Amino acid sequence: MKEPEHQQNTEEMMQQVRLKANELLLREEWEQSIQTYTHFISLCQTHISNPKTRPDQKLQKSLCLAFSNRAEARLKTRDFDGSLKDCDEALKIENTHFKTLMCKGKILLNLDRYSMALNCFKIANLDHLCNADSETLNGYLEKCKKLEFLSRSGAFDFSNWVLNGFKGKIPELAEYIGAVEIKKSEISGRGLVATKNIDYGSLLLVTKAIATERGILPQSKTEDLGENAQMVMWKNFVDKVVESTSNCKRTHALISMLSVGENEESLEVPDISVLRPESGQDCSFSNEKIDMGVMLNILDVNSLVEETFAAKFSGKKGDYHGVGIWVLASFVNHSCNPNAKRFHIGDHVIVHASRDIKEGEEITLGYFDVFSPLKTRKEMAKNWGFDCHCKRCKFETDISLKHEMGEIEMGYELGVDVCTTVYKLEESMKRWMVRGKMKGYLRASFWKVYSEVFVSEKLMMKWGRRVPPMEVVVDSVVEAVGGDERVLRVVIEGVKRIGGGGLAEMEKMMKLGRGVYGKVMKKQALRSILS
């Protein structure tokens, strides 16, 4: 066959492959379109590298578009690494290729690299002549600017969403790391430590999940049905994490640095900058696949059960369940006298200070209900696979050896008159000379009976002089274990009981509200929740 004829046949074949790839892309058959574009790219590169082939600008443009389209398809399959490589190859051919710049910007936005994404959209905007895409492009530009600002400043505001009754689109969130660093922990392994004094309610971090799985679990009398649903949810979650680590080297590296629950003291302490999405530290990440046994151990130790912001803040109930893995949040250890709280919005976890935190103090969360007696907390810690040795647990363990404490605990379990329990505990603390936070620890353990007394007008009239004022108890509990919705609710009921209260009472409720919900909304929105 003569050379021109052979070249013509090759070009016709490439044209057919290109058209087929485009068709598959339009039909959203992502995997097949990726394979077909790969075939076309290979044919193009072979043809271009042939020394007998004349330089062909049209073919170069086709190759650029093929890389761009394959990047788009790979983005749909969440193969971020492969998609970025294709974008870079396309931009080598045409460095201002609009479609590729848009695709790369979207990938970087998915990876929370806001500044880099913004740069892509800015370059696209410089050479953009088509008005049809102007609105979309401007939308991306504004979104990147907003997220970059939030990531840098932590100036989140959920006010409008709260005032709208948690309806409509949830607030846009960016990854944010506040005044914290990762260090060796006195509690277990590694932990997050404050790098400066942090005020009550201040934001500590906002971090996006590697993967989540959510669903409505059936409320059935058949226990097996519920367990099967949970197993399906867990399997789906594991599959998502495996896919994420396969598609992104950075995700693979971040998951790999988490604990498997053994040899905690030997684990390397990473610099927190590695966890910043725009750190740019992906080049040395390993390609070695994580063993499935290791992966399951990592997820078992580090996964968090999820609650939605709306469910928690608007009082909604239901059978909603969720599980996810948030790398930065995984470094926060448990304590029964925690100084932080977390809540979930979409795929993000938000952690804020629930009481004042000193520089050098470790950030801690309650993995379970810390407003429970020592015996209950020990059982819950055992279910989590650890023993808690925090100051509160040590103190209460010593106190539990006292005979009177045994009687008080037994009365609590048997449902003895709540006022009697409160009175006995307060009198015992006087005799034992319990002071400061230690009082708050015990009051938090028996908060259920304190709250029943404080919300009852009848009981307060009868026992008011024999129990400490509500304000004193609340202050000691919050200082010891941080803000909590149940404490805030009792304060609100107490204010209502005495006729609404004045400015001082409202300011106290607002301060308590900051500890419970964080400084993520203006006063008007916080008041709407408190009311």
Side-chain angles (χ1 to χ4, degrees), residues 76 84 165 332 335 362 374 413 423 434 465 522 525 529:
K76 296 294 185 181
L84 278 175
V332 184
S335 174
E362 183 168 350
L374 176 66
E413 290 176 5
Y423 178 74
V434 174
R465 293 183 180 180
K522 294 185 175 73
I529 290 179

Side-chain angles (χ1 to χ4, degrees), residues 73 239 425 436 499:
D239 289 344
L425 180 60

Side-chain angles (χ1 to χ4, degrees), residues 137-198:
L137 178 55
N138 288 334
Y140 278 121
L141 283 166
E142 290 306 311
K143 183 175 183 176
C144 285
K145 288 175 186 176
K146 179 182 177 181
L147 294 178
E148 192 276 331
F149 171 73
L150 290 174
S151 181
R152 183 167 31 86
S153 66
F156 297 85
D157 185 2
F158 304 154
S159 299
N160 291 337
W161 189 49
V162 172
L163 289 169
N164 199 35
F166 308 97
K167 295 173 184 176
K169 190 177 179 183
I170 64 173
E172 283 191 318
L173 298 174
E175 293 250 337
Y176 168 76
I177 300 176
V180 295
E181 62 183 344
I182 304 170
K183 282 192 170 184
K184 285 285 185 184
S185 168
E186 293 181 4
I187 299 171
S188 176
R190 303 160 298 181
L192 284 189
V193 175
T195 59
K196 67 176 185 180
N197 291 339
I198 298 170

Side-chain angles (χ1 to χ4, degrees), residues 187 332-340 355 361-371 377 386-393 441 480-481:
I187 299 171
V332 184
N333 282 310
H334 165 84
S335 174
C336 288
N337 57 316
N339 53 27
R355 55 184 173 87
E361 186 179 347
E362 183 168 350
I363 309 301
T364 53
L365 290 165
Y367 286 8
F368 42 76
D369 185 10
V370 297
F371 280 71
R377 298 201 314 274
F386 66 87
D387 294 317
C388 184
H389 301 290
C390 69
K391 290 180 181 178
R392 178 184 174 191
C393 284
Y441 292 157
V481 297

Side-chain angles (χ1 to χ4, degrees), residues 398-416:
D398 291 340
I399 286 288
S400 68
L401 300 176
K402 296 181 180 293
H403 177 71
E404 300 100 314
M405 195 69 220
E407 289 183 348
I408 293 168
E409 288 173 343
M410 186 176 294
Y412 176 85
E413 290 176 5
L414 294 173
V416 169

Side-chain angles (χ1 to χ4, degrees), residues 278-493:
E278 300 202 55
S279 65
Q281 299 184 37
D282 341 309
C283 51
S284 60
F285 290 168
S286 170
N287 283 318
E288 187 179 339
K289 191 175 181 181
I290 302 174
D291 176 79
M292 183 53 74
V294 172
M295 175 69 82
L296 291 174
N297 286 338
I298 288 171
L299 297 181
D300 187 48
V301 171
N302 298 283
S303 297
L304 295 175
V305 175
E306 177 180 65
E307 291 178 341
T308 61
F309 182 100
K312 197 163 191 177
F313 284 64
S314 61
K316 292 179 182 177
K317 296 180 179 179
D319 308 325
Y320 173 92
H321 291 267
V323 63
I325 180 80
W326 291 265
V327 173
L328 185 54
S330 298
F331 286 95
V332 184
N333 282 310
H334 165 84
S335 174
C336 288
N337 57 316
N339 53 27
K341 289 183 76 71
R342 69 176 168 90
F343 54 86
H344 299 249
I345 298 182
D347 287 341
H348 289 80
V349 158
I350 294 94
V351 179
H352 69 269
S354 60
R355 55 184 173 87
D356 290 340
I357 299 173
K358 294 180 181 178
E359 181 180 350
E361 186 179 347
E362 183 168 350
I363 309 301
T364 53
L365 290 165
Y367 286 8
F368 42 76
D369 185 10
V370 297
F371 280 71
S372 304
L374 176 66
K375 182 180 176 183
T376 305
R377 298 201 314 274
K378 281 187 172 182
E379 290 171 358
M380 289 189 284
K382 189 176 180 181
N383 290 336
W384 274 79
F386 66 87
D387 294 317
C388 184
H389 301 290
C390 69
K391 290 180 181 178
R392 178 184 174 191
C393 284
K394 288 177 181 176
F395 164 72
E396 289 190 50
T397 297
D398 291 340
I399 286 288
S400 68
L401 300 176
K402 296 181 180 293
H403 177 71
E404 300 100 314
M405 195 69 220
E407 289 183 348
I408 293 168
E409 288 173 343
M410 186 176 294
Y412 176 85
E413 290 176 5
L414 294 173
V416 169
D417 176 68
V418 292
C419 290
T420 302
T421 301
V422 169
Y423 178 74
K424 282 186 175 180
L425 180 60
E426 291 292 332
E427 290 299 306
S428 295
M429 285 195 289
K430 287 179 187 176
R431 287 196 301 276
W432 302 332
M433 298 185 70
V434 174
R435 298 284 185 270
K437 276 190 178 181
M438 308 307 168
K439 277 190 174 182
Y441 292 157
L442 288 174
R443 286 165 173 169
S445 291
F446 291 88
W447 178 253
K448 183 181 177 183
V449 291
Y450 278 94
S451 63
E452 287 184 38
V453 173
F454 291 141
V455 299
S456 170
E457 187 173 355
K458 182 179 178 181
L459 292 178
M460 285 301 292
M461 288 180 66
K462 182 179 178 181
W463 285 81
R465 293 183 180 180
R466 286 183 283 178
V467 298
M470 178 183 71
E471 295 78 12
V472 172
V473 174
V474 166
D475 287 346
S476 69
V477 168
V478 172
E479 184 189 3
V481 297
D484 186 88
E485 294 92 334
R486 288 162 293 186
V487 177
L488 179 58
R489 199 178 303 129
V490 167
V491 172
I492 292 170
E493 288 298 320

